[in-house]
Amino acid sequence: MKTDVLIVGAGPVGLALAGELGWRGVSCTIIEKTDGAIIQPRMDLVGVRTMEFCRRWGIADWVRASQYPRDYRQDYIWVSAVTGFEFGREPFPALNDELRPPQSPEKRERCPQDMFDPILARFVRSFPHVSLQYETELLGIEQHADGLTARVATNGGEKIIACRYVVGADGAASTVRRLLDIPMSGNPVLTYTTNAIFRCPGFNRLHDKGEFYRFIVIRPEGTFATIVAIDGRDRFRFSIVGSDEKRSYSEEEVRAAIITAFGRPFDFEIMSIMPWVRRELVADRFASGRVFIAGDAAHLTSPTGGFGMNMGIQDAVDLGWKLAAVLQGWGGTNLLQSYEVERRPVAIRNVREASGNLRRMLSPRMLKPPSQAFLPGGAGDVAREEFGRAYTEMMKREWFSIGIHLGYRYEESPIIVPDGSPEPPDEVTTYDQTARPGHRAPHAWISPDRSTLDLFGRGFVLLRFGVNPPHAKAWMQAADRLNLPLQEVEIASEEILRLYGNRLVLVRPDGHVCWRGDANPADPARIIDIVRGAE
Ligand SMILES: Cc1cc2nc3c(=O)[nH]c(=O)nc-3n(C[C@H](O)[C@H](O)[C@H](O)COP(=O)(O)OP(=O)(O)OC[C@H]3O[C@@H](n4cnc5c(N)ncnc54)[C@H](O)[C@@H]3O)c2cc1C
């Protein structure tokens, strides 16, 4: 069997990469060792940047049409128990009522993994040149001068797949990372956590807190557990957050813990229990020769913040256009090396932020809530109000993280041409759009339903702003000579010119700005060589 790119692992990141490559006309094969059934959905927050990619791929409507109820409120609530005292909450509207942030044509969505993975798989299957094979496990890889061979196990026995590149999107225990002998650095154990999915139709009728997305249960000894409404209906994920001390729980103990968190016995069915280790780790390298790693194979983060899959999908988009460029012959010999230079610092930034979120969530273990906060009466109300207000304020950083999702930039990239402007602060809760090279090209509406972001994706785009913008002749000629896809787009709007900062802005296929200036450079062909990794 032969393919251009072999992707190992059909979790959300492998599927996103297969879809991205398929969308770019690249033939690839994606293999997955399981049958694809998701027993314990993990992710459910599809961040705003991921939704921008879905918009580009034409599948944003599929996400919005998922079975997740769009009229279900998304409040985060901190309680002594679900039926106990409420310390505070961060109210969030239902998906239908949430407004788009002004910086994007999309907004974050709630779409749990057992709904989102099938959407990505449907997207992948829409390309005849992409093959998705379940129950196929990677066993080994051999690198040769001009390609690789992979040994895989299927129900029918072992077979060999010949390919030009391999991408390991095979998760935390990545076989590909192990085969490449790539170590990970950081903190291997933040907590030993136990998750249980339980089913309870009518759960929200059993308590007085109303519709919720997440409860954080804080007991006198500190933060104890969380309960997440996975599907907004009858399935919930209970987590005993745990600590760095290893501890395992029997089903009876998990059952008792759920009852403690709820505050009294109630009827529910435990569907599955999954102990897991929360880590803060980033791989020391993201590539070796013709093999790359992406997603959880490359970085492991606390889920606090919902960054894991979203940054993995950014990896897929960064790597996807570069693989396509090299396979289609217009990518330079150094292009693929820029993948690690661009994505690894973003991973380090995000896993640290997620660990900070975890520390904030667990902080009542160190700074215990006053004992009165757990007693009825006026003094209790005052203590709860005081403790709850401080906790609510502190936790906002986790709930409002647009800067993490949209503000990542490729500062050290060798395929970005800096314009000499100072790097703006890397904020978490706020995000100021900028077209400074290395950053995501800003969103602005060019017509009622069309964003500047809708211009980007297939190839490079040279934006020419204002009245009589500088011509693009030399750029187009240089691109033609290389068969590099480049389109020029004129935008007259002064407002969008102000947002982009210069009269000429070059945007890459992944939607990041790679060069800008007010006049044509002396040699546009040289700029094109830099941004295609040929210098
Ligand atoms: C409780 C929890 C909640 C989370 N919530 C969010 C959230 O809201 N938003 C978010 O962005 N992230 C979230 N995350 C993180 C997110 O789930 C992961 O980052 C994401 O699933 C990683 O995707 P992946 O495709 O890289 O890896 P995985 O989802 O782990 O997929 C890897 C796949 O590779 C397959 N595989 C492994 N080895 C082989 C092999 N040798 N051959 C073939 N196939 C193989 C595996 O079977 C698996 O299907 C959460 C995590 C947890 C634990």
Side-chain angles (χ1 to χ4, degrees):
M1 222 201 111
K2 275 191 179 163
T3 186
D4 278 337
V5 182
L6 174 67
I7 301 165
V8 185
V13 174
L15 288 168
L17 178 61
E20 166 81 9
L21 289 173
W23 189 75
R24 295 191 179 283
V26 172
S27 86
C28 61
T29 296
I30 170 165
I31 57 168
E32 164 59 48
K33 69 178 177 186
T34 70
D35 63 1
I38 293 157
I39 297 149
Q40 276 246 1
R42 290 180 291 160
M43 57 66 53
D44 53 30
L45 174 79
V46 181
V48 59
R49 187 60 174 153
T50 303
M51 282 306 292
E52 291 179 353
F53 297 140
C54 290
R55 178 186 179 92
R56 182 190 297 170
W57 296 329
I59 63 170
D61 282 343
W62 301 1
V63 180
R64 282 187 282 269
S66 87
Q67 287 159 23
Y68 193 90
R70 300 193 68 78
D71 56 356
Y72 183 81
R73 280 191 64 84
Q74 299 288 305
D75 290 13
Y76 294 68
I77 313 172
W78 4 114
V79 291
S80 62
V82 175
T83 55
F85 298 114
E86 176 171 328
F87 299 123
R89 70 171 67 204
E90 191 66 55
F92 274 104
L95 298 180
N96 268 344
D97 301 326
E98 195 173 49
L99 299 176
R100 272 193 301 235
Q103 301 95 327
S104 179
E106 293 293 333
K107 56 183 181 178
R108 66 178 206 161
E109 292 289 336
R110 186 76 68 200
C111 185
Q113 192 172 5
D114 54 345
M115 300 178 194
F116 191 57
D117 280 12
I119 290 172
L120 291 174
R122 180 180 156 202
F123 176 51
V124 167
R125 286 200 183 92
S126 70
F127 301 105
H129 47 284
V130 179
S131 161
L132 171 54
Q133 301 177 12
Y134 287 100
E135 296 181 324
T136 305
E137 179 173 4
L138 177 83
L139 301 177
I141 310 172
E142 261 184 52
Q143 298 215 41
H144 315 289
D146 55 351
L148 307 108
T149 46
R151 197 161 51 85
V152 302
T154 67
N155 287 339
E158 283 189 19
K159 65 178 181 184
I160 298 290
I161 301 179
C163 56
R164 296 181 65 190
Y165 297 96
V166 170
V167 182
D170 47 353
S174 168
T175 306
V176 175
R177 194 185 63 230
R178 179 175 51 76
L179 291 171
L180 297 180
D181 204 15
I182 298 180
M184 297 188 100
S185 298
N187 189 342
V189 180
L190 297 172
T191 64
Y192 290 96
T193 297
T194 301
N195 282 6
I197 306 290
F198 70 88
R199 199 169 160 269
C200 177
F203 182 78
N204 287 344
R205 287 196 299 274
L206 303 179
H207 62 84
D208 61 354
K209 306 297 185 292
E211 287 181 349
F212 72 101
Y213 164 68
R214 173 181 294 169
F215 280 116
I216 299 179
V217 181
I218 302 171
R219 294 174 45 76
E221 62 275 16
T223 311
F224 162 58
T226 61
I227 299 178
V228 164
I230 298 186
D231 62 356
R233 290 193 179 88
D234 59 357
R235 267 187 308 146
F236 301 86
R237 181 176 57 235
F238 172 71
S239 295
I240 304 174
V241 183
S243 70
D244 57 3
E245 245 172 73
K246 196 164 183 178
R247 162 99 162 80
S248 55
Y249 293 85
S250 66
E251 182 165 341
E252 269 326 291
E253 286 173 313
V254 171
R255 181 166 278 280
I258 293 174
I259 290 169
T260 302
F262 189 69
R264 62 170 172 77
F266 69 110
D267 281 340
F268 60 91
E269 175 198 353
I270 293 184
M271 300 172 77
S272 65
I273 295 177
M274 183 181 77
W276 58 286
V277 186
R278 190 189 307 257
R279 306 183 194 276
E280 181 193 317
L281 291 176
V282 176
D284 290 357
R285 287 174 288 126
F286 279 24
S288 173
R290 291 172 167 268
V291 187
F292 301 84
I293 49 175
D296 276 18
H299 35 71
L300 288 169
T301 181
S302 169
T304 36
F307 307 146
M309 176 203 73
N310 290 299
M311 78 170 130
I313 290 186
Q314 293 160 18
D315 296 343
V317 169
D318 188 274
L319 187 56
W321 77 267
K322 292 172 182 172
L323 283 170
V326 172
L327 287 163
Q328 289 161 3
W330 52 272
T333 46
N334 302 325
L335 185 61
L336 289 169
Q337 286 164 22
S338 68
Y339 165 63
E340 175 181 313
V341 184
E342 293 188 346
R343 293 304 307 163
R344 197 167 169 273
V346 179
I348 292 171
R349 156 199 194 252
N350 290 4
V351 301
R352 282 190 186 147
E353 181 62 25
S355 297
N357 287 338
L358 175 71
R359 273 193 299 279
R360 282 181 280 279
M361 182 176 92
L362 296 185
S363 60
R365 288 182 183 176
M366 307 293 286
L367 211 64
K368 302 235 174 358
S371 51
Q372 269 151 331
F374 297 88
L375 298 173
D381 288 342
V382 172
R384 277 186 284 284
E385 217 271 320
E386 205 173 298
F387 165 71
R389 195 163 5 96
Y391 193 76
T392 305
E393 202 46 48
M394 178 185 61
M395 292 300 289
K396 283 187 192 296
R397 185 173 168 124
E398 179 171 343
W399 319 138
F400 301 98
S401 58
I402 192 167
I404 291 289
H405 288 275
L406 296 181
Y408 60 94
R409 69 285 306 260
Y410 300 142
E411 204 56 26
E412 301 298 327
S413 174
I415 61 162
I416 300 276
V417 187
D419 67 354
S421 58
E423 185 183 355
D426 191 3
E427 304 288 358
V428 173
T429 56
T430 58
Y431 168 59
D432 289 329
Q433 298 200 86
T434 172
R436 183 173 169 272
H439 296 247
R440 158 191 172 275
H443 151 73
W445 293 111
I446 42 182
S447 63
D449 290 322
R450 199 160 150 77
S451 161
T452 45
L453 268 54
D454 298 331
L455 301 168
F456 314 136
R458 292 285 177 193
F460 283 83
V461 175
L462 183 66
L463 298 171
R464 300 168 58 228
F465 288 109
V467 185
N468 288 328
H471 64 80
K473 231 159 107 192
W475 295 94
M476 300 310 289
Q477 282 168 353
D480 261 6
R481 276 197 297 276
L482 295 161
N483 272 334
L484 176 139
L486 171 66
Q487 201 198 347
E488 51 170 315
V489 176
E490 254 186 71
I491 298 181
S493 158
E494 286 293 320
E495 202 182 321
I496 305 182
L497 164 59
R498 273 197 299 281
L499 179 63
Y500 272 75
N502 288 95
R503 277 154 57 83
L504 287 175
V505 178
L506 186 63
V507 181
R508 314 194 307 191
D510 60 348
H512 277 252
V513 174
C514 54
W515 176 89
R516 70 174 175 174
D518 275 326
N520 273 308
D523 185 5
R526 169 136 197 269
I527 302 293
I528 286 188
D529 273 347
I530 296 173
V531 300
R532 71 183 187 93
E535 276 241 328

